[in-house]
Amino acid sequence: MEKIEKFLIDSDILIDFLRGVQKSRDFLFELKNKAVLFISVVSIVEIYSGKDMTDSAEKQAVEDFFS
């Protein structure tokens, strides 16, 4: 039976990804192709409580990312 790798992604990586930091984007895209990625409820709350969430475009980008 094949073992599936699983990773819990920290909010720092997610925030950098959403801000367009290429290193974080590359890291997540590489992991996505070989593992199952998880995001904790705590990380989701941290992202939604960020100062950028007052901008409707930023909020939409986050919602698109999580969907």
Side-chain angles (χ1 to χ4, degrees):
M1 186 161 77
E2 185 179 336
K3 182 179 176 183
I4 298 173
E5 289 189 284
K6 301 172 188 172
F7 291 91
L8 179 63
I9 306 301
D10 186 68
S11 58
D12 290 338
I13 298 293
L14 297 172
I15 290 166
D16 284 349
F17 177 90
L18 291 166
R19 289 182 176 161
V21 175
Q22 193 61 46
K23 197 170 188 178
S24 293
R25 295 179 70 79
D26 293 344
F27 176 72
L28 287 179
F29 283 123
E30 181 181 330
L31 278 182
K32 179 182 131 254
N33 292 325
K34 62 183 177 183
V36 178
L37 306 181
F38 295 91
I39 303 170
S40 74
V41 173
V42 172
S43 291
I44 292 170
V45 169
E46 286 177 348
I47 290 170
Y48 273 112
S49 66
K51 65 181 170 95
D52 293 338
M53 293 307 292
T54 57
D55 180 338
S56 61
E58 289 291 328
K59 187 175 182 180
Q60 186 62 51
V62 169
E63 289 173 359
D64 291 346
F65 174 76
F66 284 135
S67 64

